[in-house]
């Protein structure tokens, strides 16, 4: 199943394995994917003398990962092809204590402090680009914590089970039979949710404050640029981030990063990480800021888990997140008919009727994509006209199964308690209300700045953007903001990079002049 080139790559990846691993398969002799799974696992086992594959009978199709004869807590119910092949290989590497995705000691301690036992199941699609981040994060948690288990379930192979749980978005993470999370996320947010649900064995111990010259919160284009420019000045820099790349990782194709005709969000995020790692920067991922306070000339930043960091210069580059409608029914039906990523969740609505809320570029692009999968796509735009580029509007208008309504206010997401059944809409001109019967809703109404934790510290505008001057300075000496979280016009990657550099240079200038 693996060609010669890929086999050699896998051999190189597993060249330094220390422990012995067993791929313990349980599969029905009649399962239609049996041969495919066994071929994949057999070829993988051939790549290392430390890996074996054993096969027993079963009712379905699954395999568990054992290390030196002991269960790691990682299970795959499906054939880990496509994007999940990397998740499969990483599970073995992580079990061996290897892999760049393994967090630092402070984060590992948080995982081990979770109250168990915890049983997690993630439903995925092998074509989903967001699913591997979740699968890899939860596999790693299972490896770190003996009484936490995680199984990846291919929703296509286990369709009846996914339908019974009303899975309409991937990845969907369940625990104790209840939905814990749906959609794109990362290690840090998942850990936060598990701590909130299960609690921790011991209270966080008071930790000594770690001192730096500059603290950068966020590691997207703006945060990365700020950290690199600060490090190049010879300063001691810490980057606190939930994930490297930020919102960039949710961008499929990037064609306007000057000098780079085309790249992907994932590739750009990897390049940002590589550039940061080329400097003496403390890159502290999976950190969620909880409070910011002033102690003399220092800004003290506290993160989930009890760590505290202090520096005279704080650069906020936390970016933005998908904006929600904030109407009745939206939160209740996320993952059960309310979605945000047409690329990942569109296949669940094949042959069905969906709505796209939002008439900007992202909304019309989503409508065009979904039109190739769904029976009907209804676009609902609040304003009197679409905001998307005219070329996109023309393409959408030419599609026979796309209908577009402007001046349409979304009032409520309607459902039957298990899944979405419609959306209630009001015509802003006539005041007439109607319910559109449909199967799913994709929300595409732009972004909201991730500034909530800083709003009591620095000035923000009515949109929640941190107000800055032409030098990225806020109204508080020593605090700077850059990129999409700020009032800078035009939320673009190339602009965010420049703003991050500008914030770093402003902070350095203030330092040399004794302002901070």
């Amino acid at each position: 199943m693996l060609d010669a080139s890929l086999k050699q790559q896998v051999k190189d990846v597993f060249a330094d394995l220390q422990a012995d691993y067993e791929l313990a398969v349980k599969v029905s002799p009649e399962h239609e994917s049996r041969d495919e799974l066994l071929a994949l696992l057999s070829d993988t086992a051939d790549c290392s003398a430390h890996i074996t594959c054993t096969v027993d009978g079963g009712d379905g199709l699954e395999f568990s990962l054992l290390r030196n004869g002991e269960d790691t807590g990682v299970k795959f119910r499906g054939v880990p092809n496509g994007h999940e092949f990397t998740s499969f290989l990483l599970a073995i590497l992580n079990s061996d204590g290897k892999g760049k995705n393994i967090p630092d000691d402070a984060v590992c301690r948080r995982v081990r402090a979770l109250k168990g036992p915890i049983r997690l199941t993630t439903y995925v699609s092998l074509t989903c680009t967001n699913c591997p981040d979740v699968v890899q994060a939860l596999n790693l948690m299972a490896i770190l914590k003996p009484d936490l288990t995680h199984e990846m379930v291919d929703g296509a192979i286990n369709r009846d089970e996914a339908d019974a749980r009303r899975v309409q978005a991937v990845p969907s993470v369940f625990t104790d039979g209840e939905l814990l999370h749906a959609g794109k996320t990362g290690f840090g947010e998942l850990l936060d949710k598990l701590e909130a649900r299960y609690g921790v064995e011991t209270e966080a111990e008071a930790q000594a404050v770690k001192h730096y010259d500059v603290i950068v919160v966020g590691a997207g284009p703006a945060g990365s640029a700020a950290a690199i420019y600060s490090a190049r000045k010879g300063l001691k820099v810490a980057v606190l981030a939930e994930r490297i790349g930020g919102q960039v990782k949710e961008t499929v194709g990037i064609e306007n990063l000057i000098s780079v005709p085309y790249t992907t969000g994932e590739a750009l995020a990897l390049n940002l990480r590589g550039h940061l790692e080329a400097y003496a920067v403390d890159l502290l991922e999976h950190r969620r800021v909880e409070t910011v306070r002033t102690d003399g000339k220092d800004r003290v930043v506290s993160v989930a888990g009890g760590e505290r960091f202090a520096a005279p210069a704080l650069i906020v580059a936390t970016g933005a997140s998908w904006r929600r409608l904030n109407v009745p029914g939206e939160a209740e039906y996320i993952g059960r008919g309310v979605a945000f990523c047409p690329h990942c969740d569109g296949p669940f609505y094949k042959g069905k009727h969906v709505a796209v809320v939002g008439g900007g570029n992202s909304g019309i692009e989503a409508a065009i994509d979904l039109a190739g999968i769904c029976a009907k796509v209804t676009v609902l735009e609040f304003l009197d006209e679409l905001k998307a580029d005219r070329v996109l509007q023309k393409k959408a208008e030419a599609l026979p199964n796309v209908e577009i309504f402007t001046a349409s206010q979304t009032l409520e997401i309607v459902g039957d308690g298990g899944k979405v059944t419609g959306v209630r809409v009001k015509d802003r001109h006539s005041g007439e209300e109607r319910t559109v019967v449909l199967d799913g809703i994709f929300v595409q109404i732009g972004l909201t700045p991730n500034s909530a934790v800083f709003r009591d510290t620095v000035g923000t505008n009515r949109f929640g953007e941190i107000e800055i001057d032409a030098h990225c300075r806020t109204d508080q000496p020593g605090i700077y903001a850059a990129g999409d979280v700020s009032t800078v016009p035009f939320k673009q990657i190339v602009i965010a990079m420049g703003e991050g550099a500008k914030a770093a240079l402003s902070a350095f200038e203030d330092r040399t002049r004794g302002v901070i």
Side-chain angles (χ1 to χ4, degrees):
M1 187 170 186
L2 303 181
D3 61 33
S5 175
L6 186 53
K7 264 195 170 183
Q8 185 57 53
Q9 292 179 49
V10 175
K11 287 179 181 179
D12 293 342
V13 167
F14 290 153
D16 297 323
L17 288 182
Q18 299 297 312
D20 293 322
Y21 296 93
E22 178 186 345
L23 309 176
V25 182
K26 292 183 179 180
V27 59
S28 167
E30 292 81 28
H31 200 286
E32 61 182 3
S33 298
R34 173 190 168 92
D35 292 344
E36 182 184 12
L37 176 66
L38 295 184
L40 176 65
L41 299 188
S42 177
D43 283 357
T44 302
D46 288 343
C47 294
S48 173
H50 288 278
I51 303 174
T52 59
C53 180
T54 60
V55 183
D56 287 323
D59 296 329
L61 177 142
E62 65 180 50
F63 71 95
S64 299
L65 176 63
L66 278 62
R67 180 182 185 275
N68 291 336
E70 296 185 0
D71 196 343
T72 62
V74 174
K75 180 186 291 185
F76 292 85
R77 287 206 283 132
V79 183
N81 280 324
H83 297 292
E84 294 304 341
F85 185 59
T86 300
S87 299
F88 167 41
L89 300 184
L90 262 181
I92 297 174
L93 282 178
N94 290 164
S95 297
D96 217 55
K98 301 177 176 63
K100 290 186 176 181
N101 64 320
I102 297 178
D104 55 75
D105 290 343
V107 177
C108 289
R109 285 196 297 270
R110 286 179 62 192
V111 174
R112 296 187 181 106
L114 287 167
K115 290 183 178 179
I118 301 171
R119 304 287 179 261
L120 302 170
T121 301
T122 302
Y123 292 88
V124 306
S125 165
L126 297 183
T127 61
C128 171
T129 57
N130 293 331
C131 292
D133 287 343
V134 172
V135 172
Q136 291 162 24
L138 296 179
N139 281 349
L140 182 52
M141 290 186 198
I143 291 164
L144 291 171
K145 183 173 174 59
D147 59 349
L148 186 155
T149 64
H150 176 245
E151 57 181 12
M152 180 219 81
V153 180
D154 182 349
I157 288 180
N158 300 277
R159 185 76 248 180
D160 290 344
E161 180 180 331
D163 287 344
R165 286 194 164 177
R166 301 181 186 274
V167 174
Q168 290 185 292
V170 288
S172 285
V173 182
F174 284 79
T175 180
D176 301 327
E178 297 180 4
L179 184 66
L180 177 73
H181 178 85
K184 184 175 181 64
T185 189
F187 193 104
E189 184 179 358
L190 289 166
L191 181 54
D192 288 343
K193 289 190 173 185
L194 289 172
E195 287 176 334
R197 182 179 181 90
Y198 289 96
V200 294
E201 293 291 351
T202 56
E203 292 296 325
E205 297 180 2
Q207 300 183 38
V209 178
K210 299 177 183 178
H211 290 270
Y212 293 87
D213 297 317
V214 179
I215 294 172
V216 179
V217 183
S224 298
I228 290 166
Y229 265 73
S230 296
R232 287 175 61 84
K233 293 295 185 181
L235 301 178
K236 186 178 181 182
V237 182
V239 175
L240 309 179
E242 294 190 32
R243 56 176 177 166
I244 308 301
Q247 186 75 13
V248 155
K249 295 193 72 173
E250 299 183 24
T251 305
V252 177
I254 300 169
E255 299 177 322
N256 57 355
L257 183 58
I258 308 306
S259 84
V260 182
Y262 179 84
T263 188
T264 65
E266 190 67 35
L268 179 55
L270 288 173
N271 287 338
L272 292 176
R273 179 187 288 275
H275 204 165
L276 285 165
E277 290 175 345
Y279 291 89
V281 171
D282 282 359
L283 193 52
L284 304 169
E285 201 172 2
H286 314 309
R287 263 62 173 198
R288 176 175 55 83
V289 174
E290 292 187 327
T291 62
V292 177
R293 65 178 179 85
T294 299
D295 183 6
K297 280 196 171 184
D298 277 344
R299 304 294 177 171
V300 181
V301 180
S302 299
V303 301
E307 293 175 283
R308 292 178 295 160
F309 307 88
L314 171 63
I315 300 175
V316 180
T318 45
S321 302
W322 291 115
R323 179 175 282 118
R324 295 190 179 183
L325 293 166
N326 293 320
V327 299
E330 180 185 33
E332 179 183 356
Y333 289 106
I334 288 177
R336 295 185 294 166
V338 174
F340 298 88
C341 179
H343 305 290
C344 300
D345 302 333
F348 285 96
Y349 300 91
K350 183 177 181 179
K352 297 182 178 181
H353 181 189
V354 301
V356 174
V357 181
N361 282 347
S362 61
I364 299 304
E365 286 174 352
I368 293 168
D369 288 344
L370 292 167
I373 301 170
C374 303
K376 185 177 181 181
V377 180
T378 300
V379 177
L380 303 172
E381 166 57 41
F382 181 84
L383 298 178
D384 290 344
E385 59 184 21
L386 299 179
K387 298 168 289 182
D389 295 341
R390 187 58 193 157
V391 64
L392 293 174
Q393 292 186 41
K394 287 182 177 180
K395 188 170 183 179
E397 290 165 356
L399 296 171
N401 60 337
V402 174
E403 59 179 9
I404 299 172
F405 295 96
T406 57
S408 297
Q409 181 180 358
T410 302
L411 299 177
E412 180 184 6
I413 308 299
V414 181
D416 63 6
K419 59 180 174 49
V420 166
T421 58
V423 57
R424 189 162 61 88
V425 181
K426 182 175 77 172
D427 185 303
R428 291 178 47 249
H429 295 315
S430 67
E432 178 185 355
E433 295 184 13
R434 64 191 177 101
T435 297
V436 181
V437 177
L438 41 68
D439 303 290
I441 296 159
F442 288 82
V443 180
Q444 299 283 298
I445 56 172
L447 302 171
T448 186
N450 298 323
S451 61
V453 73
F454 305 101
R455 290 179 191 175
D456 292 336
T457 305
V458 294
T460 58
N461 65 13
R462 64 189 181 91
F463 302 109
E465 297 169 326
I466 296 176
E467 294 180 325
I468 58 172
D469 65 12
H471 299 269
C472 296
R473 296 183 176 99
T474 70
D475 60 358
Q476 296 298 313
I479 303 183
Y480 312 81
D484 289 6
V485 74
S486 76
T487 51
V488 65
F490 310 118
K491 312 304 186 185
Q492 298 289 311
I493 292 170
V494 69
I495 291 174
M497 288 179 170
E499 290 293 296
K502 190 196 297 183
L505 293 173
S506 295
F508 182 74
E509 182 178 67
D510 289 348
R511 177 186 176 90
T512 58
R513 293 182 176 181
V515 177
I516 60 173

